[in-house]
Amino acid sequence: MATYKKRGFKPKNKEEEVRIDEENSTTAEVFSTLDESASKTEEWVRKNQTYILGAIGIVAVAVLAFLGYNEFIQKPKEASAANELFYPQQYFDQALTNETERDSLFGLALNGAQGKYGFLDIMEEYKGTKAANLAKYSAGMAYLNLQQYQDAITYLEEFSSDDAILGAMAKGGIGDAFAQLNQKEDALEYYEKAFNHDSNEYTTPRFLYKAGVLALDLGQKDKAFGYFERIKNDFSSSQEANNIDVVIGLSQN
């Protein structure tokens, strides 16, 4: 470390004079190295400033392009897709309450009518939007109600959502389709995915019960017992808890 010297300072002897000269020499070397490094850095920046500015420009353009795309393309596309989804969703909702015309109403929901898009059109025309994703769910459920189970599985598997209800219902719908195709192990797997998707009073006991009944059918009584017990203990106010002791008894027999 360099020694601080007061004005008029004189070394006491030859040895101290040599030590001070060495310290001064070391300090000078350090500053010389720093100056040299700074000069090299400045030189490198000067030589490569075209590339540096070009790289900064590319990043800036990319950011602006993303913001512009999101503001002027994606947002209007999302809004347009949401408006289009309203039309087939009305047919879908009517089909759920109209037994006599349900098949034709589900068909209109899927394929559209009177120049309006159906779920299948929205998926194709508005790829990447939230409405297109929701259209996959509704299309899958429409096919499930139309007993076209393979199509139901296809669209429900393409649907993705973290929503507590829709996410569970989609997985449960796939389970229902597999059950109708007599692929019981696959059905049980998706019922389990459905009740594990989220814990709530609506979907969890619903798919716990379906999983328990299917597990009984597959001879997996211990698994069925666990599912029924969970309904009894955790969801006692649910509809599935009615007469739950009966099915618990079957799983113990």
Side-chain angles (χ1 to χ4, degrees):
M1 180 181 293
T3 303
Y4 173 73
K5 299 179 286 296
K6 295 181 180 179
R7 181 178 299 176
F9 173 83
K10 293 183 180 180
K12 297 178 180 178
N13 50 50
K14 186 67 176 178
E15 183 180 346
E16 187 173 359
E17 182 179 355
V18 170
R19 180 175 59 79
I20 292 172
D21 288 342
E22 289 177 350
E23 289 178 353
N24 290 338
S25 176
T26 301
T27 302
E29 288 177 6
V30 170
F31 280 106
S32 177
T33 302
L34 290 174
D35 289 341
E36 185 179 347
S37 298
S39 297
K40 288 181 178 179
T41 300
E42 290 171 1
E43 183 181 355
W44 183 89
V45 170
R46 187 165 51 252
K47 287 182 178 179
N48 296 277
Q49 63 180 337
T50 302
Y51 301 106
I52 295 171
L53 293 174
I56 294 172
I58 290 171
V59 172
V61 168
V63 170
L64 290 173
F66 171 78
L67 294 175
Y69 174 83
N70 189 56
E71 186 67 28
F72 299 110
I73 298 177
Q74 188 63 22
K75 282 186 178 180
K77 187 178 180 181
E78 289 281 359
S80 179
N83 288 334
E84 293 288 353
L85 185 64
F86 177 76
Y87 183 79
Q89 194 65 46
Q90 284 184 307
Y91 282 124
F92 182 91
D93 294 342
Q94 291 172 28
L96 296 177
T97 59
N98 190 330
E99 280 293 324
T100 58
E101 299 180 29
R102 65 191 297 274
D103 287 1
S104 62
L105 288 168
F106 278 129
L108 291 172
L110 286 165
N111 300 300
Q114 300 177 359
K116 297 289 187 178
Y117 284 155
F119 294 136
L120 301 181
D121 300 309
I122 292 170
M123 281 184 268
E124 185 64 28
E125 296 296 326
Y126 294 98
K127 291 178 180 178
T129 64
K130 295 176 183 178
N133 187 46
L134 288 172
K136 292 175 184 177
Y137 171 82
S138 296
M141 288 301 186
Y143 279 123
L144 183 62
N145 281 278
L146 290 170
Q147 300 180 11
Q148 298 180 33
Y149 301 118
Q150 195 57 59
D151 286 330
I153 292 168
T154 297
Y155 288 110
L156 289 174
E157 282 187 331
E158 290 181 1
F159 171 72
S160 62
S161 176
D162 294 328
D163 183 81
I165 304 300
L166 289 183
M169 290 296 292
K171 292 176 174 63
I174 296 172
D176 289 341
F178 276 126
Q180 292 297 325
L181 293 170
N182 205 34
Q183 296 178 228
K184 296 178 181 179
E185 289 82 2
D186 292 321
L188 179 57
E189 177 186 348
Y190 274 92
Y191 287 149
E192 290 170 338
K193 287 181 179 180
F195 70 67
N196 282 320
H197 179 78
D198 182 82
S199 183
N200 61 75
E201 294 288 333
Y202 177 64
T203 62
T204 309
R206 175 190 179 95
F207 294 115
L208 276 169
Y209 190 87
K210 288 191 174 189
V213 170
L214 199 53
L216 270 181
D217 190 40
L218 290 168
Q220 301 176 23
K221 291 188 174 182
D222 289 343
K223 182 178 280 190
F225 174 76
Y227 296 156
F228 294 142
E229 273 286 288
R230 186 177 169 192
I231 293 173
K232 181 177 180 177
N233 295 331
D234 298 343
F235 303 98
S236 59
S237 60
S238 67
Q239 182 179 345
E240 289 76 16
N242 295 336
N243 301 316
I244 194 68
D245 289 329
V246 174
V247 288
I248 287 177
L250 291 174
S251 66
Q252 292 177 312
N253 191 339

mmCIF file of all heavy atoms in Angstrom, residues 214-238:
data_model
loop_
_atom_site.group_PDB
_atom_site.id
_atom_site.type_symbol
_atom_site.label_atom_id
_atom_site.label_comp_id
_atom_site.label_asym_id
_atom_site.label_seq_id
_atom_site.Cartn_x
_atom_site.Cartn_y
_atom_site.Cartn_z
ATOM 1 N N LEU A 214 -65.570 -46.235 -11.236
ATOM 2 C CA LEU A 214 -64.793 -46.922 -12.259
ATOM 3 C C LEU A 214 -63.729 -47.821 -11.636
ATOM 4 O O LEU A 214 -63.471 -48.930 -12.123
ATOM 5 C CB LEU A 214 -64.134 -45.894 -13.186
ATOM 6 C CG LEU A 214 -63.676 -46.402 -14.548
ATOM 7 C CD1 LEU A 214 -64.805 -47.118 -15.285
ATOM 8 C CD2 LEU A 214 -63.160 -45.244 -15.387
ATOM 9 N N ALA A 215 -63.126 -47.361 -10.543
ATOM 10 C CA ALA A 215 -62.140 -48.191 -9.841
ATOM 11 C C ALA A 215 -62.804 -49.464 -9.309
ATOM 12 O O ALA A 215 -62.211 -50.555 -9.374
ATOM 13 C CB ALA A 215 -61.498 -47.399 -8.705
ATOM 14 N N LEU A 216 -64.021 -49.343 -8.799
ATOM 15 C CA LEU A 216 -64.770 -50.528 -8.360
ATOM 16 C C LEU A 216 -64.974 -51.490 -9.519
ATOM 17 O O LEU A 216 -64.794 -52.706 -9.380
ATOM 18 C CB LEU A 216 -66.142 -50.117 -7.796
ATOM 19 C CG LEU A 216 -66.259 -49.818 -6.314
ATOM 20 C CD1 LEU A 216 -67.704 -49.448 -5.964
ATOM 21 C CD2 LEU A 216 -65.806 -51.014 -5.472
ATOM 22 N N ASP A 217 -65.363 -50.955 -10.650
ATOM 23 C CA ASP A 217 -65.604 -51.774 -11.836
ATOM 24 C C ASP A 217 -64.334 -52.490 -12.284
ATOM 25 O O ASP A 217 -64.391 -53.592 -12.830
ATOM 26 C CB ASP A 217 -66.151 -50.898 -12.959
ATOM 27 C CG ASP A 217 -66.652 -51.694 -14.141
ATOM 28 O OD1 ASP A 217 -67.288 -52.754 -13.928
ATOM 29 O OD2 ASP A 217 -66.414 -51.279 -15.292
ATOM 30 N N LEU A 218 -63.184 -51.849 -12.058
ATOM 31 C CA LEU A 218 -61.903 -52.448 -12.436
ATOM 32 C C LEU A 218 -61.342 -53.362 -11.344
ATOM 33 O O LEU A 218 -60.244 -53.903 -11.495
ATOM 34 C CB LEU A 218 -60.893 -51.337 -12.755
ATOM 35 C CG LEU A 218 -61.153 -50.543 -14.042
ATOM 36 C CD1 LEU A 218 -60.274 -49.297 -14.093
ATOM 37 C CD2 LEU A 218 -60.899 -51.407 -15.274
ATOM 38 N N GLY A 219 -62.093 -53.495 -10.251
ATOM 39 C CA GLY A 219 -61.651 -54.355 -9.159
ATOM 40 C C GLY A 219 -60.625 -53.709 -8.252
ATOM 41 O O GLY A 219 -59.985 -54.394 -7.445
ATOM 42 N N GLN A 220 -60.461 -52.397 -8.350
ATOM 43 C CA GLN A 220 -59.492 -51.684 -7.510
ATOM 44 C C GLN A 220 -60.221 -51.109 -6.296
ATOM 45 O O GLN A 220 -60.433 -49.899 -6.167
ATOM 46 C CB GLN A 220 -58.805 -50.587 -8.328
ATOM 47 C CG GLN A 220 -58.069 -51.110 -9.551
ATOM 48 C CD GLN A 220 -57.469 -50.001 -10.408
ATOM 49 O OE1 GLN A 220 -57.209 -48.892 -9.938
ATOM 50 N NE2 GLN A 220 -57.228 -50.294 -11.672
ATOM 51 N N LYS A 221 -60.601 -51.988 -5.393
ATOM 52 C CA LYS A 221 -61.476 -51.598 -4.285
ATOM 53 C C LYS A 221 -60.798 -50.667 -3.294
ATOM 54 O O LYS A 221 -61.445 -49.765 -2.743
ATOM 55 C CB LYS A 221 -61.999 -52.844 -3.578
ATOM 56 C CG LYS A 221 -62.988 -53.650 -4.412
ATOM 57 C CD LYS A 221 -63.627 -54.764 -3.606
ATOM 58 C CE LYS A 221 -64.709 -55.464 -4.421
ATOM 59 N NZ LYS A 221 -65.387 -56.533 -3.641
ATOM 60 N N ASP A 222 -59.519 -50.864 -3.046
ATOM 61 C CA ASP A 222 -58.817 -49.982 -2.107
ATOM 62 C C ASP A 222 -58.781 -48.539 -2.622
ATOM 63 O O ASP A 222 -58.989 -47.586 -1.864
ATOM 64 C CB ASP A 222 -57.387 -50.477 -1.884
ATOM 65 C CG ASP A 222 -57.345 -51.756 -1.070
ATOM 66 O OD1 ASP A 222 -58.369 -52.075 -0.422
ATOM 67 O OD2 ASP A 222 -56.303 -52.439 -1.091
ATOM 68 N N LYS A 223 -58.534 -48.405 -3.916
ATOM 69 C CA LYS A 223 -58.513 -47.078 -4.514
ATOM 70 C C LYS A 223 -59.905 -46.455 -4.448
ATOM 71 O O LYS A 223 -60.060 -45.287 -4.100
ATOM 72 C CB LYS A 223 -58.025 -47.173 -5.960
ATOM 73 C CG LYS A 223 -57.919 -45.835 -6.670
ATOM 74 C CD LYS A 223 -57.372 -45.986 -8.090
ATOM 75 C CE LYS A 223 -55.871 -46.125 -8.061
ATOM 76 N NZ LYS A 223 -55.289 -46.040 -9.437
ATOM 77 N N ALA A 224 -60.915 -47.259 -4.776
ATOM 78 C CA ALA A 224 -62.290 -46.762 -4.740
ATOM 79 C C ALA A 224 -62.661 -46.318 -3.330
ATOM 80 O O ALA A 224 -63.272 -45.258 -3.134
ATOM 81 C CB ALA A 224 -63.249 -47.849 -5.223
ATOM 82 N N PHE A 225 -62.299 -47.108 -2.344
ATOM 83 C CA PHE A 225 -62.589 -46.771 -0.949
ATOM 84 C C PHE A 225 -61.965 -45.427 -0.569
ATOM 85 O O PHE A 225 -62.608 -44.596 0.083
ATOM 86 C CB PHE A 225 -62.068 -47.878 -0.020
ATOM 87 C CG PHE A 225 -62.199 -47.548 1.434
ATOM 88 C CD1 PHE A 225 -63.422 -47.617 2.064
ATOM 89 C CD2 PHE A 225 -61.084 -47.163 2.180
ATOM 90 C CE1 PHE A 225 -63.557 -47.309 3.421
ATOM 91 C CE2 PHE A 225 -61.199 -46.849 3.520
ATOM 92 C CZ PHE A 225 -62.444 -46.923 4.137
ATOM 93 N N GLY A 226 -60.732 -45.206 -0.984
ATOM 94 C CA GLY A 226 -60.058 -43.945 -0.671
ATOM 95 C C GLY A 226 -60.769 -42.748 -1.285
ATOM 96 O O GLY A 226 -60.917 -41.710 -0.640
ATOM 97 N N TYR A 227 -61.252 -42.904 -2.511
ATOM 98 C CA TYR A 227 -61.952 -41.804 -3.182
ATOM 99 C C TYR A 227 -63.287 -41.510 -2.506
ATOM 100 O O TYR A 227 -63.648 -40.344 -2.296
ATOM 101 C CB TYR A 227 -62.166 -42.122 -4.655
ATOM 102 C CG TYR A 227 -60.888 -42.253 -5.450
ATOM 103 C CD1 TYR A 227 -60.833 -42.992 -6.640
ATOM 104 C CD2 TYR A 227 -59.706 -41.648 -5.022
ATOM 105 C CE1 TYR A 227 -59.665 -43.111 -7.367
ATOM 106 C CE2 TYR A 227 -58.535 -41.768 -5.735
ATOM 107 C CZ TYR A 227 -58.514 -42.505 -6.910
ATOM 108 O OH TYR A 227 -57.353 -42.618 -7.623
ATOM 109 N N PHE A 228 -64.020 -42.565 -2.166
ATOM 110 C CA PHE A 228 -65.328 -42.379 -1.522
ATOM 111 C C PHE A 228 -65.171 -41.789 -0.117
ATOM 112 O O PHE A 228 -65.957 -40.945 0.310
ATOM 113 C CB PHE A 228 -66.087 -43.707 -1.452
ATOM 114 C CG PHE A 228 -66.473 -44.263 -2.794
ATOM 115 C CD1 PHE A 228 -66.431 -45.632 -3.038
ATOM 116 C CD2 PHE A 228 -66.887 -43.421 -3.819
ATOM 117 C CE1 PHE A 228 -66.791 -46.149 -4.270
ATOM 118 C CE2 PHE A 228 -67.255 -43.933 -5.064
ATOM 119 C CZ PHE A 228 -67.193 -45.299 -5.292
ATOM 120 N N GLU A 229 -64.148 -42.236 0.595
ATOM 121 C CA GLU A 229 -63.884 -41.706 1.932
ATOM 122 C C GLU A 229 -63.546 -40.219 1.878
ATOM 123 O O GLU A 229 -63.948 -39.445 2.745
ATOM 124 C CB GLU A 229 -62.719 -42.469 2.576
ATOM 125 C CG GLU A 229 -63.114 -43.730 3.305
ATOM 126 C CD GLU A 229 -63.801 -43.420 4.624
ATOM 127 O OE1 GLU A 229 -63.121 -42.981 5.569
ATOM 128 O OE2 GLU A 229 -65.035 -43.615 4.710
ATOM 129 N N ARG A 230 -62.822 -39.828 0.849
ATOM 130 C CA ARG A 230 -62.472 -38.415 0.722
ATOM 131 C C ARG A 230 -63.728 -37.583 0.497
ATOM 132 O O ARG A 230 -63.851 -36.475 1.033
ATOM 133 C CB ARG A 230 -61.483 -38.211 -0.433
ATOM 134 C CG ARG A 230 -60.985 -36.783 -0.514
ATOM 135 C CD ARG A 230 -59.967 -36.606 -1.601
ATOM 136 N NE ARG A 230 -59.708 -35.186 -1.828
ATOM 137 C CZ ARG A 230 -59.036 -34.684 -2.858
ATOM 138 N NH1 ARG A 230 -58.524 -35.508 -3.757
ATOM 139 N NH2 ARG A 230 -58.866 -33.383 -2.990
ATOM 140 N N ILE A 231 -64.659 -38.092 -0.303
ATOM 141 C CA ILE A 231 -65.920 -37.376 -0.505
ATOM 142 C C ILE A 231 -66.648 -37.219 0.826
ATOM 143 O O ILE A 231 -67.146 -36.136 1.163
ATOM 144 C CB ILE A 231 -66.816 -38.129 -1.520
ATOM 145 C CG1 ILE A 231 -66.190 -38.107 -2.911
ATOM 146 C CG2 ILE A 231 -68.212 -37.497 -1.564
ATOM 147 C CD1 ILE A 231 -66.913 -38.973 -3.933
ATOM 148 N N LYS A 232 -66.706 -38.311 1.585
ATOM 149 C CA LYS A 232 -67.421 -38.288 2.862
ATOM 150 C C LYS A 232 -66.783 -37.314 3.849
ATOM 151 O O LYS A 232 -67.492 -36.566 4.556
ATOM 152 C CB LYS A 232 -67.448 -39.694 3.468
ATOM 153 C CG LYS A 232 -68.200 -39.783 4.793
ATOM 154 C CD LYS A 232 -68.258 -41.214 5.307
ATOM 155 C CE LYS A 232 -69.029 -41.281 6.635
ATOM 156 N NZ LYS A 232 -69.147 -42.678 7.122
ATOM 157 N N ASN A 233 -65.461 -37.287 3.893
ATOM 158 C CA ASN A 233 -64.763 -36.478 4.891
ATOM 159 C C ASN A 233 -64.578 -35.018 4.474
ATOM 160 O O ASN A 233 -64.688 -34.114 5.305
ATOM 161 C CB ASN A 233 -63.389 -37.083 5.182
ATOM 162 C CG ASN A 233 -63.486 -38.448 5.838
ATOM 163 O OD1 ASN A 233 -64.449 -38.742 6.553
ATOM 164 N ND2 ASN A 233 -62.501 -39.309 5.584
ATOM 165 N N ASP A 234 -64.311 -34.795 3.175
ATOM 166 C CA ASP A 234 -63.949 -33.444 2.729
ATOM 167 C C ASP A 234 -65.063 -32.708 1.998
ATOM 168 O O ASP A 234 -65.030 -31.478 1.899
ATOM 169 C CB ASP A 234 -62.725 -33.509 1.807
ATOM 170 C CG ASP A 234 -61.496 -34.062 2.515
ATOM 171 O OD1 ASP A 234 -61.499 -34.082 3.763
ATOM 172 O OD2 ASP A 234 -60.543 -34.465 1.825
ATOM 173 N N PHE A 235 -66.040 -33.465 1.475
ATOM 174 C CA PHE A 235 -67.096 -32.836 0.684
ATOM 175 C C PHE A 235 -68.466 -33.365 1.102
ATOM 176 O O PHE A 235 -69.279 -33.790 0.274
ATOM 177 C CB PHE A 235 -66.855 -33.082 -0.817
ATOM 178 C CG PHE A 235 -65.512 -32.604 -1.297
ATOM 179 C CD1 PHE A 235 -64.447 -33.493 -1.427
ATOM 180 C CD2 PHE A 235 -65.297 -31.264 -1.586
ATOM 181 C CE1 PHE A 235 -63.208 -33.052 -1.860
ATOM 182 C CE2 PHE A 235 -64.053 -30.818 -2.021
ATOM 183 C CZ PHE A 235 -63.008 -31.718 -2.148
ATOM 184 N N SER A 236 -68.701 -33.335 2.385
ATOM 185 C CA SER A 236 -69.918 -33.924 2.949
ATOM 186 C C SER A 236 -71.193 -33.216 2.503
ATOM 187 O O SER A 236 -72.280 -33.806 2.555
ATOM 188 C CB SER A 236 -69.829 -33.933 4.481
ATOM 189 O OG SER A 236 -69.655 -32.619 4.975
ATOM 190 N N SER A 237 -71.069 -31.963 2.082
ATOM 191 C CA SER A 237 -72.262 -31.225 1.654
ATOM 192 C C SER A 237 -72.529 -31.346 0.153
ATOM 193 O O SER A 237 -73.501 -30.779 -0.360
ATOM 194 C CB SER A 237 -72.120 -29.739 2.019
ATOM 195 O OG SER A 237 -70.986 -29.170 1.377
ATOM 196 N N SER A 238 -71.694 -32.074 -0.556
ATOM 197 C CA SER A 238 -71.869 -32.217 -2.000
ATOM 198 C C SER A 238 -72.958 -33.233 -2.316
ATOM 199 O O SER A 238 -73.327 -34.080 -1.481
ATOM 200 C CB SER A 238 -70.560 -32.663 -2.655
ATOM 201 O OG SER A 238 -70.225 -33.985 -2.241
#
